[in-house]
Structure formats: structure tokens, C-alpha cells
Amino acid sequence: MKKILFICTGNICRSPVAEVICKTKLEKLGILTQFEIESAAIQGHHIGEPPDHRVFIEGEKRGLNFAHIHSRKVQLNDYYQFELMLGMTKHHVDYLESHKPADSVTKIALFANYADQNLYEDIKDPYYGNKENFIEMFDQIDKISSKLIQKITQN
């Protein structure tokens, strides 16, 4: 079983969207049971909270369900449980690397870069933005998730 953890700042926008989009795509391919996909935050400001209400609004338009998601912070055990931790920004990757135990073998990478070696881009935080920023974020994550799934199912 492949275990992937998506990471953003508060686990209420980007990482839950990546989690649900990837799970939905894997389910449509009939291989979701071969994966454990979760999301978490590097900060604990929203622990236990559901995703931002704008995530629910855009998700509903796309047929995505976020009802089961509640924010949680990255834990020490995550470095041993997940074989791949994908940060939404370079800052998230740096945080994860700086907290990674020496004996952990988890791979840490930038979400966009892991899926496509030519992207090298951050997924912008839509939290302080408007509806269009959330639409752009969903579109960006959807596109990158397709490439990520293509890559992880080839191996």
C-alpha cells in the first residue's frame, strides 16, 4: 500500500483539496484500496476544524465531498507512517525537512514538482483571497493530481 500525506499551512484549503481530489481519481480508477491518502498542517491554528467553507462550495460544484475532513497537524509518527509527504509550497517542504527524524525514510517533495519535474511551483494559498482564487487552486491541484497519479501508478 502506498501512503501519501499532503501538507499545507492550516490543513483547511490546499492539502484537503489535494487529498480529496486524489482519492476521488484513485477511486474512479478502482485502485483507491491500494493507497492511504491523508492531509495535515504545519501549524495548529485550525486543529479539528473542517475545511474552509469556500472549499465546500467549490467542491460541491465538482462533485467532491469534504465532510470527513478535519484539520490536523503533522505528527512525529507521520514521518514513519507515510512513504511520501508532499508540501504545497517550498516553505512546507523546508518545514518538513527540518523536522524529519534522522531515521525516517519518508520522501519529502514539493507537490507540483513531484508530479511534473518542469513545474517547480507553489500552490498559492487562497485563504485570504476570493472565490476566483479558490477556483484557480482547485484547477491547479486537479491538473497536478492527474500527473501525480499517473506517476505513482507506473511504479
Side-chain angles (χ1 to χ4, degrees):
M1 177 175 286
K2 294 182 181 177
K3 299 178 180 187
I4 302 169
L5 184 64
F6 294 103
I7 309 293
C8 71
T9 306
N11 193 216
I12 60 168
C13 297
R14 295 167 287 180
S15 59
V17 169
E19 175 186 345
V20 170
I21 286 176
C22 281
K23 282 181 173 177
T24 301
K25 289 178 180 290
L26 291 166
E27 187 173 39
K28 286 180 181 175
L29 292 172
I31 57 173
L32 179 58
T33 58
Q34 299 173 26
F35 293 85
E36 181 179 331
I37 310 283
E38 291 185 26
S39 60
I42 62 168
Q43 296 179 359
H45 303 308
H46 299 285
I47 290 176
E49 293 180 18
D52 185 282
H53 71 280
R54 294 165 290 184
V55 167
F56 281 96
I57 292 168
E58 186 59 28
E60 186 175 318
K61 291 177 186 174
R62 296 170 187 244
L64 301 171
N65 182 356
F66 291 89
H68 66 287
I69 305 280
H70 291 87
S71 177
R72 74 172 186 86
K73 190 172 183 209
V74 173
Q75 303 293 315
L76 180 62
N77 186 50
D78 291 331
Y79 288 95
Y80 300 99
Q81 178 180 348
F82 293 94
E83 57 194 81
L84 181 59
M85 298 172 84
L86 296 173
M88 295 293 128
T89 68
K90 176 77 169 99
H91 170 71
H92 301 135
V93 170
D94 291 344
Y95 173 92
L96 293 168
E97 290 285 1
S98 70
H99 288 78
K100 181 180 176 181
D103 63 342
S104 169
V105 295
T106 190
K107 181 175 181 176
I108 296 170
L110 184 65
F111 171 58
N113 186 39
Y114 189 83
D116 184 339
Q117 293 296 317
N118 298 316
L119 288 177
Y120 299 103
E121 64 183 62
D122 288 350
I123 307 297
K124 293 182 183 130
D125 189 353
Y127 185 75
Y128 294 105
N130 57 32
K131 174 182 154 184
E132 285 73 29
N133 298 121
F134 276 82
I135 292 169
E136 289 171 20
M137 184 248 325
F138 266 84
D139 289 344
Q140 187 179 26
I141 290 174
D142 185 61
K143 177 182 173 187
I144 295 168
S145 293
S146 292
K147 292 182 178 187
L148 172 69
I149 289 169
Q150 185 178 40
K151 184 173 189 169
I152 62 176
T153 56
Q154 288 175 352
N155 300 334

